[in-house]
Amino acid sequence: VIRCRAAVAWAPGKPLSVEEVEVAPPKAGEVRIKIVATGICHTDERVRQGYFPDAEFPIIPGHEGAGIVESVGEGVTSMKPGDKVIPLFVPQCGKCSFCLNPESNFCQKSHISEPQNLLPDKTSRFSCKGKQIHHFLWVSTFAEYTVVPEYAVAKIDAAAPLDKVCLFSCGFSTGYGSAINTAKVKPGSTCAVFGLGGVGLSVVIGCKVAGASRIIAVDINKDKFAKAKQLGATDCINPQDFKKPIQEVLTEMTGQGVDYSFEAIGKAETMVAALASCNMSTGVCVMIGELDSGSEISINPMLLLTGRTWKGSVLGGWKSRECLPKLVSSYLEKKFNPDLLITHTLPFDKVNEGFELLDTGK
């Protein structure tokens, strides 16, 4: 058993509490990882507030991390102690019908199919003050050590800087892949990106790499525009500057609507606006933002009848164990630069300050 620090959410709506926790050794088919760096994603904030479906308290959040294998359980063959790895909130078991389908990147062992508050054997490897602590998506990167099933871990290049590639565990891969894999953005096309957080800015990078000729970034926080332009946005617009709905503004700017639109916020009204802003015949809208559990969206069916496509994307369409190591290698070859997404680097005990920066759009 390893004793280490972890940021525990004891109850919904309360700040995280940095505690000493016990982390049990890995059982058969599991890997214990020393987490070196973790990002903060808005999904972690939804867990903290109690809005994430099926999350049980107390829980250790965090799902955007990178680290080094400390030990492996019986039967683990794809990695060994000392390997650099990324834990994966979308596993790739390699055996279910989704994993066997070359067009799918989802896995039937993921959270939407079965809650992941405990490891697959329905027990926890975390305890604190004599209490069992729940896992989050089998990942729980807000702990200095975590235990994850082997099929939810990707071994990456030994040269990868862990404080940068932790973003590949969720934010960067999700946004970048939404443009490259889910939308399949074509050279010369026009794109609109709603929301310029880490995911939305990663969509901008993906659209640029795919050769889009016009990338319109949409956000109500003007402080995000400079970075969006640095990463490839050609136009930046604030919906609050217009008296008409933003979809009408985008349609006027482009003549008939954009070829591809992306919603990286997670609000029902912006999802409908993103759908309406792509052209009515061949436009593709990709839903990336996560709505609160139980939310519903109502749309005018005419938005789809004329030919628009509305798609969702989880982890940017990448088959996680197979594709993320290749994505890290492309980063090492300088094919794109997500380092610009990192605005602050904080010590672990300031995790709550990280959430304050997230909530204030900084």
Side-chain angles (χ1 to χ4, degrees):
V1 174
I2 289 177
R3 285 180 178 78
C4 67
R5 292 182 305 165
V8 180
W10 289 103
K14 299 277 190 293
L16 298 178
S17 177
V18 177
E19 307 273 6
E20 183 180 80
V21 298
E22 290 83 43
V23 185
K27 295 186 183 178
E30 296 174 354
V31 181
R32 187 159 61 181
I33 302 166
K34 178 184 182 181
I35 296 291
V36 173
T38 180
I40 295 182
C41 172
H42 228 99
T43 300
D44 301 312
E45 175 65 345
R46 292 178 67 246
V47 175
R48 196 173 74 91
Q49 297 292 356
Y51 299 144
F52 192 85
D54 303 325
E56 290 182 59
F57 291 81
I59 188 169
I60 297 173
H63 65 285
E64 193 174 90
I68 296 165
V69 175
E70 177 273 332
S71 58
V72 298
E74 188 188 335
V76 172
T77 56
S78 61
M79 56 199 68
K80 63 187 186 304
D83 284 344
K84 285 188 178 179
V85 291
I86 289 177
L88 308 163
F89 75 94
V90 176
Q92 187 184 354
C93 74
K95 294 175 183 169
C96 70
S97 61
F98 288 170
C99 284
L100 294 171
N101 180 343
E103 292 181 8
S104 163
N105 81 307
F106 207 60
C107 172
Q108 278 159 323
K109 291 194 183 298
S110 51
H111 172 78
I112 293 168
S113 306
E114 60 176 78
Q116 295 177 10
N117 299 310
L118 296 167
L119 288 182
D121 70 351
K122 304 302 175 220
T123 62
S124 171
R125 301 294 165 271
F126 296 125
S127 58
C128 179
K129 299 173 182 170
K131 280 190 177 172
Q132 170 185 281
I133 308 293
H134 291 92
H135 293 249
F136 177 54
L137 301 181
W138 293 341
V139 179
S140 290
T141 58
F142 291 0
E144 291 176 322
Y145 287 85
T146 189
V147 178
V148 185
E150 180 184 16
Y151 51 75
V153 185
K155 179 182 165 182
I156 58 170
D157 193 306
L162 298 176
D163 61 332
K164 306 288 194 291
V165 300
C166 60
L167 300 183
F168 287 56
S169 194
C170 174
F172 173 70
S173 305
T174 297
Y176 181 74
S178 295
I180 301 288
N181 300 325
T182 311
K184 296 185 169 60
V185 169
K186 291 180 182 150
S189 59
T190 56
C191 303
V193 182
F194 287 71
L196 301 175
V199 174
L201 290 171
S202 300
V203 176
V204 171
I205 296 172
C207 293
K208 184 173 188 203
V209 168
S213 62
R214 195 169 184 193
I215 303 166
I216 305 168
V218 183
D219 203 300
I220 57 172
N221 182 350
K222 288 182 172 172
D223 295 343
K224 306 227 170 173
F225 291 172
K227 187 157 281 188
K229 288 203 163 162
Q230 200 179 352
L231 291 168
T234 54
D235 308 72
C236 294
I237 58 174
N238 180 346
Q240 294 174 335
D241 292 343
F242 301 92
K243 289 196 169 71
K244 58 181 74 169
I246 194 65
Q247 55 265 42
E248 290 180 24
V249 175
L250 287 162
T251 302
E252 282 175 16
M253 284 174 74
T254 55
Q256 70 287 331
V258 295
D259 299 308
Y260 306 96
S261 63
F262 302 85
E263 202 276 3
I265 302 166
K267 292 193 182 307
E269 60 272 23
T270 43
M271 286 189 178
V272 176
L275 178 64
S277 67
C278 64
N279 85 66
M280 67 170 66
S281 173
T282 57
V284 175
C285 176
V286 181
M287 179 192 296
I288 317 166
E290 206 172 340
L291 290 162
D292 290 339
S293 73
S295 300
E296 292 187 354
I297 302 177
S298 60
I299 63 158
N300 178 344
M302 282 302 289
L303 284 173
L304 295 172
L305 188 71
T306 48
R308 283 184 183 90
T309 304
W310 203 7
K311 304 174 103 169
S313 187
V314 174
L315 194 62
W318 305 105
K319 280 191 181 286
S320 57
R321 293 194 79 203
E322 199 178 301
C323 297
L324 261 56
K326 296 175 189 167
L327 206 55
V328 168
S329 299
S330 295
Y331 162 71
L332 293 172
E333 290 159 13
K334 298 189 163 49
K335 290 190 176 166
F336 39 73
N337 182 20
D339 294 2
L340 293 168
L341 302 173
I342 300 170
T343 57
H344 297 74
T345 304
L346 301 171
F348 187 45
D349 54 9
K350 296 203 170 163
V351 61
N352 287 306
E353 284 182 35
F355 280 99
E356 284 164 26
L357 289 163
L358 181 78
D359 291 337
T360 52
K362 293 178 182 158

